[in-house]
Structures are given as structure tokens and as C-alpha cells.
Amino acid sequence: MKPETAAKKLGILLDATPEEFRSSTLTRDELAALQADPPEWLATLRREGPHPRSVVAAKLGVSNSGLARAGISDPLTTAEIKALLEAPPAWLVEERARQAGVRAEKRRIAERDAERAARADGGRGGGGGGAGV
């Protein structure tokens, strides 16, 4: 697989990886080996960053769109993320509240759909839907 794909699967920023990683392709077995027993450079990247957008969003508890709305386009380090969480700016408070609302709505819809499915299954009378002859 391409280095871009491997970096995405590993949750790391490709630009921060060693040149050797960026210039080679990996097999699925090599990727699995990196995940199972990460070398020091990978462990350090995962621990300290800089982190790709999706990881930054997850660590902050917001969406990628929320980062874009806030004008955050550069990768952030773990220290920068911790600083934002310790003294959250107004945009972060707003985006986390927005994300919580989205999650609550998804839960409500899932519960509604599960209830509808249970009613539909219960209303069949156990007959099986044959021709009834």
C-alpha cells in the first residue's frame, strides 16, 4: 500500500514520518507488524504528534468540520491539544456542544428505528408470510 494509506491507517501524519517510510510501499503484513510492535519513531509520533486532522478532532471531541469552522488547518501536537483542553477557547466549547447534540440526535434516531423494527416484527403474528393456502 502507498505510504499515504499506511499513515492514515496508523493514525499518523505522513509528513512527520521518516523518509524511509515515505518513500516505500508496505504490505498488509508489514503494516500489521508496525501496529503490533511499533518502532520508536512511530510510538513517539503517536504519543507526541504532530497529529493529522482526524486525530486532532477526535482528541478534542469535535468533528473535522468543527476544526475547519474554527480555522484550524495545521496539524497539532499533543501538547497543543492538551493546552486547548485545559483552557478551552469559545470555539471549542461551542463545537463540543454541537458534537454532543449530534451524538444525542443519532442515539434518538437509532432508538426510534429500533422501536419501529420491534413493533414491525411483533405485528406479524408469527405466521411467516406464506400464501396461506
Side-chain angles (χ1 to χ4, degrees):
M1 73 185 62
K2 294 179 182 178
E4 296 88 4
T5 304
K8 188 173 182 179
K9 289 182 181 281
L10 291 169
I12 57 174
L13 188 65
L14 180 62
D15 293 343
T17 62
E19 178 59 35
E20 178 183 309
F21 182 87
R22 284 180 272 159
S23 63
S24 63
T25 58
L26 284 121
T27 65
R28 291 186 187 277
D29 290 338
E30 290 169 330
L31 179 67
L34 284 174
Q35 289 173 322
D37 187 23
E40 186 57 35
W41 66 264
L42 179 55
T44 301
L45 259 181
R46 285 178 165 171
R47 186 175 53 251
E48 299 172 9
H51 302 288
R53 179 183 211 77
S54 60
V55 173
V56 171
K59 287 179 179 276
L60 290 175
V62 300
S63 66
N64 284 333
S65 299
L67 289 178
R69 281 188 291 273
I72 306 293
S73 58
D74 294 331
L76 299 179
T77 64
T78 300
E80 292 168 325
I81 293 168
K82 283 183 181 178
L84 285 171
L85 291 172
E86 288 172 1
W91 70 263
L92 182 55
V93 172
E94 182 182 318
E95 289 299 333
R96 291 183 88 178
R98 179 177 287 144
Q99 190 69 9
V102 168
R103 282 192 213 107
E105 180 65 7
K106 283 183 179 181
R107 252 189 325 273
R108 184 191 70 76
I109 290 170
E111 289 170 0
R112 180 202 66 193
D113 291 348
E115 184 180 307
R116 286 180 178 172
R119 275 193 306 228
D121 287 343
R124 292 194 179 154
V133 220

